Amino acid sequence: MKGEGKMMIKSKMKWVGLVGLVLSAFSLFVHFLLARFTEEGIADYQSSVTIFSWRPVFENPDFSKNSPSHKRLWGPVRRLESLHPDANPRGYYTDPRSESSGYVFVRIQGGFHEIRNSICDVVVISRLLNATLVIPEIQSTTRSKGISSQFKSFAYLYNEDNFMAALVKDVKVVKTLPQNLKDARKLKNIPSFRVPNSASPYFYLHHVLPVLNKHGVVELVVSDGGCLQAILPPHLDEYQRLRCRVAFHALRFRHEVQELATKMLHRLRAHGQPFIAFDPGLTRDALAYYGCAELFQDVHNELIQHKRAWMKKRGFVKGKLSVNSAEQRLNGSCPLMPEEVGILLRAYGYSWDTILYVSGGEVFGGQRTLTPLHAMFENIVDRTSLSAAWELNRIYGREVNLVDTKLRAPPSAVKEKNPEVWKNAGPRPRPLPPPPARPKYPYNIEGWWGWVAESDNEPESTVMELRTNAHKLLWEAIDYLICVEADVFIPGFDRDGKGRPNFASLVMGHRLYQSAASKTFQPNRKEVVKLLEENREHLYQANHTWLTSIRSHLRRSLIDGVIRASRRSKPSSFLSHPIPECSCLRFDLTKRSPHSTGAPVEASLGITHHCPKWMDSEIKTKLKDKESEEDPDEDISSSSGLFFRNSGGNHESGGGELIKEESQLDDQEELDGAD
């Protein structure tokens, strides 16, 4: 009996152990699924390429949105609230004619902002020629090796179906050429034009249209980021509004990209805090074009100079090879460094715990350049710290496996001796032969720039680099969506490597169209550098007068930057300043309050078109309530100051806690100085 009892106990223990193992395995499986698919956890979204990890710590998590400080820092720009997007046709505008002049096939080469500008241009050109547009081919993806075959060309970045549906009343769009024209194109039997940058409508009507009528098809090759002049004659304003309908309504990113960007926005706003988006604009091409090499040191300086020499050799840059970067910076021709942007934002009153989203496919100089910014702001994030690696991989699709590039042992440098060759090599003594070229192996080159010290020629892109270049289009698409929706946006630079408006300019143009009153700082770099140089030795112990000057400049830039863009950016890129053609006034300026100061803004921007009545009805009631309110942009009684010294705060920070200024600034005095 005792033996049977022991056997029963052992049997039960085995079953208990087995059940425990099963439950443990099930628990591990559930934890894996939660870690893999949970969307709510923010702090867990890290990546090996994250700029900085994000620890959401906030000094005032319940910061009142109705407080004067909150309205000043995050509230709308009151003087631009009357502007409303209006890209609908306003005059005689018919549907595309049933009889088409032929097919326009387009190949677009370039980066994100160049592709976006070019697509809008070719739609307008197709309408101008009464042609059928074949969905453009994006060369940055189709020429890149190793990317997913699931997405090709246009569909790699944009939603084809939405593009075609949104333009059904503007231009005929098809996905591919008819089979006979496809075969002719493969044999290069269709006429082709390499279109110059900013070509006039005359060029297309008198050079391209006759060829199109004769052959029924033309191929356009666009490589300079825009194939139609930005500012069209007044009688072609409807074509300008067509550009807006393309850029801001028809060009939707493909579903996977749109979905991930939406998730990241939700994670950014999960704590109920507003955030700033910052685009550094620090690309190697832009720095080389404007001669800003001396902003960096060591090998980064050499890389910029090497690129400038390459540009000068090919005629992209006209001028001296060596440029005084200090003078360029004082002239406002160089980007603001991240540290300088951080100083501006802290001087304006943004606290150390403000969420700062850093965008851009490339930040030249890497983390070392961004470290001073992180010392001023605790919560710096980018796309990799707001998403898991598997989420980014999913938008790339099923990509082909690349060839194994693991390091291999170098070949032996010792050659076998051949006595017979030595005996018959000629009279002695002989000069020694030159030493063999030292082989370069991946493990003895410090970074991708190791070739600079040994060669005048930049090495050709590897397959992995080509794949990364294609991925940059998707990264910038995500950054674009987040920057457009940000509560505040500030650019470090607004020019690309060809001297034209860049990614940040497109963001500012989209924000101006979609929500003109959203805060978009556009500091005048020349004035900012002058202010920074005046206080160079005491930037972190700034006085009341200097802080007031910085705040006045940033407040003025909210309006002055828009007016300046109409003169500087619009002639090169219409999308960087799509007004007055694509905007209207939501109420009659003559009925405004006598204390309003907004009328000169619309007048200086040339906006005279009034919105339809159905738009006005929504704002009239809000306007009456706001007339008696205190304008947050014009009357602030208190705000936080800049960073002066470290204090023993209760949060951990690389640069120490940044405390408030002891003496509160008089913001009304600042306003009087700005006006």
Side-chain angles (χ1 to χ4, degrees), residues 141-265:
T141 57
T142 55
R143 283 189 178 181
S144 300
K145 299 178 181 179
I147 68 168
S148 173
S149 59
Q150 181 180 355
F151 308 108
K152 285 296 183 183
S153 190
F154 190 90
Y156 185 77
L157 190 59
Y158 293 109
N159 186 322
E160 287 185 342
D161 295 331
N162 183 81
F163 182 75
M164 297 175 68
L167 297 177
V168 68
K169 292 186 177 181
D170 295 295
V171 64
K172 289 183 178 179
V173 184
V174 295
K175 289 190 175 182
T176 60
L177 286 168
Q179 189 59 47
N180 62 324
L181 294 179
K182 271 187 183 180
D183 298 336
R185 180 177 173 268
K186 289 179 181 178
L187 298 174
K188 298 183 178 180
N189 289 335
I190 66 173
S192 178
F193 291 86
R194 183 167 286 277
V195 185
N197 179 261
S198 300
S200 67
Y202 178 90
F203 171 82
Y204 294 99
L205 292 173
H206 292 81
H207 293 278
V208 178
L209 184 57
V211 177
L212 179 63
N213 288 330
K214 180 179 179 181
H215 296 273
V217 62
V218 292
E219 179 179 10
L220 304 181
V221 181
V222 184
S223 58
D224 287 330
C227 53
L228 184 65
Q229 65 187 52
I231 301 179
L232 296 174
H235 69 278
L236 295 179
D237 277 354
E238 290 299 344
Y239 291 88
Q240 297 288 56
R241 282 184 277 279
L242 174 56
R243 272 175 163 158
C244 294
R245 292 196 292 276
V246 177
F248 309 130
H249 300 280
L251 280 181
R252 293 285 185 90
F253 299 109
R254 64 177 165 90
H255 176 71
E256 295 86 354
V257 177
Q258 200 91 24
E259 183 182 29
L260 179 56
T262 302
K263 289 180 181 178
M264 292 168 63
L265 278 169

Side-chain angles (χ1 to χ4, degrees), residues 32-43:
F32 171 77
L33 290 179
L34 290 174
R36 181 73 162 78
F37 296 107
T38 296
E39 299 178 0
E40 301 301 327
I42 298 177

Side-chain angles (χ1 to χ4, degrees), residues 200-355:
S200 67
Y202 178 90
F203 171 82
Y204 294 99
L205 292 173
H206 292 81
H207 293 278
V208 178
L209 184 57
V211 177
L212 179 63
N213 288 330
K214 180 179 179 181
H215 296 273
V217 62
V218 292
E219 179 179 10
L220 304 181
V221 181
V222 184
S223 58
D224 287 330
C227 53
L228 184 65
Q229 65 187 52
I231 301 179
L232 296 174
H235 69 278
L236 295 179
D237 277 354
E238 290 299 344
Y239 291 88
Q240 297 288 56
R241 282 184 277 279
L242 174 56
R243 272 175 163 158
C244 294
R245 292 196 292 276
V246 177
F248 309 130
H249 300 280
L251 280 181
R252 293 285 185 90
F253 299 109
R254 64 177 165 90
H255 176 71
E256 295 86 354
V257 177
Q258 200 91 24
E259 183 182 29
L260 179 56
T262 302
K263 289 180 181 178
M264 292 168 63
L265 278 169
H266 288 163
R267 292 163 189 166
L268 269 170
R269 301 187 187 278
H271 293 275
Q273 300 290 320
F275 73 96
I276 301 173
F278 165 51
D279 182 70
L282 288 174
T283 64
R284 182 181 167 209
D285 289 355
L287 293 166
Y289 183 88
Y290 287 98
C292 304
E294 294 173 14
L295 296 181
F296 297 84
Q297 297 177 349
D298 306 327
V299 74
H300 294 92
N301 186 311
E302 296 180 36
L303 282 169
I304 296 171
Q305 282 297 94
H306 183 277
K307 190 68 177 182
R308 182 171 175 84
W310 182 90
M311 289 179 167
K312 183 173 174 59
K313 184 177 180 181
R314 286 157 180 78
F316 299 141
V317 172
K318 296 180 181 179
K320 297 180 180 179
L321 178 61
S322 297
V323 181
N324 189 329
S325 299
E327 291 183 0
Q328 290 290 92
R329 179 173 172 273
L330 290 173
N331 291 333
S333 299
C334 290
L336 294 175
M337 299 299 287
E339 179 184 13
E340 295 171 336
V341 173
I343 290 172
L344 295 180
L345 294 175
R346 292 304 308 271
Y348 194 73
Y350 294 102
S351 61
W352 61 268
D353 57 352
T354 301
I355 302 172

Side-chain angles (χ1 to χ4, degrees), residues 448-631:
W448 63 270
W449 36 260
W451 53 270
V452 174
E454 301 184 2
S455 172
D456 293 333
N457 298 319
E458 190 166 349
E460 294 183 1
S461 298
T462 63
V463 176
M464 182 58 76
E465 288 171 342
L466 291 174
R467 173 182 281 185
T468 302
N469 288 337
H471 290 175
K472 283 181 181 179
L473 292 178
L474 302 178
W475 299 344
E476 293 190 340
I478 293 172
D479 288 342
Y480 184 86
L481 290 171
I482 292 177
C483 289
V484 168
E485 297 295 331
D487 300 278
V488 174
F489 178 74
I490 183 169
F493 202 46
D494 59 355
R495 287 292 180 270
D496 65 6
K498 296 179 181 177
R500 305 189 185 111
N502 66 353
F503 172 91
S505 293
L506 290 193
V507 170
M508 291 187 287
H510 197 149
R511 289 170 66 88
L512 183 61
Y513 170 82
Q514 178 176 292
S515 179
S518 58
K519 263 193 169 56
T520 303
F521 294 112
Q522 301 186 49
N524 186 320
R525 291 186 298 277
K526 186 175 181 179
E527 293 184 19
V528 167
V529 171
K530 183 180 178 181
L531 288 170
L532 292 173
E533 289 301 318
E534 288 176 357
N535 201 39
R536 175 58 60 185
E537 301 299 325
H538 306 284
L539 288 177
Y540 292 88
Q541 296 85 28
N543 57 36
H544 176 272
T545 303
W546 188 82
L547 289 177
T548 302
S549 300
I550 290 291
R551 291 187 177 187
S552 298
H553 175 78
L554 286 181
R555 176 176 284 115
R556 291 196 308 270
S557 76
L558 296 170
I559 302 297
D560 293 349
V562 175
I563 299 173
R564 189 168 60 249
S566 66
R567 302 190 304 266
R568 187 165 183 258
S569 298
K570 187 172 182 176
S572 301
S573 171
F574 175 75
L575 299 184
S576 65
H577 189 81
I579 56 176
E581 294 88 347
C582 299
S583 294
C584 63
L585 300 178
R586 290 192 291 187
F587 52 90
D588 192 349
L589 293 174
T590 60
K591 296 180 181 179
R592 279 187 168 185
S593 168
H595 302 289
S596 176
T597 59
V601 178
E602 289 86 359
S604 60
L605 295 174
I607 304 172
T608 58
H609 179 72
H610 293 275
C611 298
K613 293 183 178 179
W614 63 268
M615 293 185 185
D616 287 344
S617 61
E618 297 179 0
I619 194 157
K620 283 182 179 178
T621 54
K622 297 179 182 178
L623 199 62
K624 292 180 181 179
D625 297 335
K626 286 186 177 182
E627 284 181 354
S628 59
E629 287 182 3
E630 186 179 24
D631 191 337

